[in-house]
Amino acid sequence: MLRIAVQSKGRLYEETMFLLEEAGIKLNKAKRTLLLSAKDFPVEVLFLRDDDIPQSVANGVADVGIVGENEYVEKKQNAQLIKRLGFSKCRLSLAIPKDEDYRGLCWFQGKTIATSYPSILRTFLEKNAIKADLHVISGSVEIAPGIGLADAIFDIVSSGSTLISNQLKEVEVVMQSEALLIAGNKLTEDKKAILDELIFRFNAIQAAAGKKYILLNAPKDKLDEITEVLPGMKSPTVTPLAEEGWCSIQSVIEEKRFWEVIGKLKSLGAEGILVIPIEKMIL
């Protein structure tokens, strides 16, 4: 049995639960408890505060964990980074009152900065030869300047709306963050095998993200041009049709290029274009 530590609430919790469900891990959750087992896969999920996950994995309370990169870097625990998961993206940034005239990092010289991430901030300030006082706060960092506790803050930023509502502006991005899969250093061979299967499933989900499966009919004399538009994973699948001079083509396209590709296909004579979502993709 592999024990996975995950955040107990918030956006990272919700996106982690979605990932596990997509990976076929259905939890026995008749009622919410600290520890839940899966129905058809040898894992159990331990719900913790996000800042407790790195230590719990490092000391063996959990075998692996899904945690924000910000907490992983801040806590500096002896746990391996196994995989970047690509969701719950945010950044750690310095922000100051919106009416301040900001002309560079020298603004922070001698200032007081409120933060929940003193280790990351201290490293950044030392690297840039900035001497500032750190005021460590466990939550609601953004209110510190408004109530006179600090001159600036260093905190997580996603959309920036929280900064705006507190009359702050983001002036320096210190690091980017996303969800990580981390593991302890003493996994048994059985647990490593379960983790390998879990990573295989996560990879299949990630490979399908942002991609569409496309089927279309096209004139054979345009096949080479259409193939250039639809490179797919290796090359499009081409099948002759009963109608002379026509073929059916199947491929995978990036969703971000969807309308660009569709426009080119139509101009090359493609017809009957069918687009299908992809849930998993085994490479």
Side-chain angles (χ1 to χ4, degrees):
M1 183 76 74
L2 186 76
R3 180 176 292 176
I4 308 173
V6 306
Q7 187 171 317
S8 59
K9 60 183 179 179
R11 184 165 67 100
L12 181 55
Y13 161 79
E14 293 170 357
E15 293 181 319
T16 298
M17 290 300 99
F18 178 78
L19 175 66
L20 293 177
E21 187 172 337
E22 286 290 294
I25 298 171
K26 313 294 184 184
L27 298 178
N28 294 304
K29 49 183 178 181
K31 61 179 181 178
R32 180 66 180 273
T33 60
L34 182 66
L35 187 66
L36 292 176
S37 60
K39 296 179 182 178
D40 301 311
F41 195 73
V43 303
E44 55 186 4
V45 176
L46 176 65
F47 296 99
L48 298 172
R49 283 170 48 99
D50 55 348
D51 54 354
D52 289 335
I53 293 175
Q55 183 178 5
S56 296
V57 172
N59 64 23
V61 171
D63 301 306
V64 301
I66 295 177
V67 66
E69 187 171 0
N70 50 304
E71 293 295 346
Y72 177 68
V73 174
E74 175 66 22
K75 299 304 180 184
K76 297 181 179 178
Q77 293 291 322
N78 186 24
Q80 306 174 57
L81 169 56
I82 301 299
K83 181 174 177 58
R84 293 183 172 274
L85 297 174
F87 59 82
S88 289
K89 292 185 177 182
C90 60
R91 55 195 181 274
L92 282 173
S93 296
L94 285 158
I96 65 175
K98 69 173 187 177
D99 295 329
E100 288 285 337
D101 181 21
Y102 184 75
R103 298 187 180 182
L105 281 173
C106 59
W107 186 93
F108 293 97
Q109 198 73 251
K111 297 291 198 301
T112 298
I113 307 171
T115 185
S116 299
Y117 301 95
S119 178
I120 295 172
L121 178 56
R122 192 173 291 112
T123 299
F124 176 78
L125 293 176
E126 289 175 356
K127 180 181 177 181
N128 289 279
I130 301 294
K131 292 184 178 181
D133 293 325
L134 306 191
H135 188 88
V136 181
I137 301 177
S138 60
S140 300
V141 173
E142 65 277 356
I143 68 171
I147 62 176
L149 280 179
D151 302 300
I153 70 166
F154 176 65
D155 202 17
I156 290 174
V157 178
S158 295
S159 66
S161 59
T162 301
L163 295 181
I164 293 171
S165 64
N166 285 276
Q167 308 296 306
L168 299 172
K169 62 183 178 182
E170 184 179 11
V171 293
E172 297 285 343
V173 176
V174 173
M175 69 169 281
Q176 300 290 338
S177 178
E178 65 180 285
L180 305 177
L181 177 65
I182 63 173
N185 295 308
K186 297 181 179 180
L187 295 185
T188 64
E189 290 304 314
D190 287 345
K191 289 183 177 182
K192 286 179 182 178
I194 299 169
L195 178 57
D196 287 343
E197 173 62 23
L198 191 65
I199 292 169
F200 171 77
R201 296 186 183 193
F202 287 173
N203 286 341
I205 295 165
Q206 284 187 316
K211 295 183 176 64
K212 300 290 187 183
Y213 192 74
I214 187 167
L215 301 91
L216 57 101
N217 297 331
K220 285 184 178 179
D221 60 0
K222 296 291 184 178
L223 183 57
D224 288 343
E225 293 174 78
I226 288 176
T227 299
E228 289 183 9
V229 175
L230 286 175
M233 291 175 286
K234 290 185 178 178
S235 62
T237 300
V238 180
T239 307
L241 293 179
E243 184 176 348
E244 186 67 29
W246 282 78
C247 61
S248 173
I249 302 174
Q250 305 169 45
S251 189
V252 174
I253 63 173
E254 295 279 350
E255 187 168 12
K256 63 185 178 183
R257 294 188 59 214
F258 176 78
W259 292 111
E260 172 196 348
V261 170
I262 293 299
K264 290 180 179 179
L265 292 174
K266 288 179 66 178
S267 69
L268 292 169
E271 298 179 356
I273 302 173
L274 180 63
V275 181
I276 303 171
I278 301 174
E279 290 188 5
K280 319 285 189 303
M281 193 160 69
I282 313 301
L283 301 176

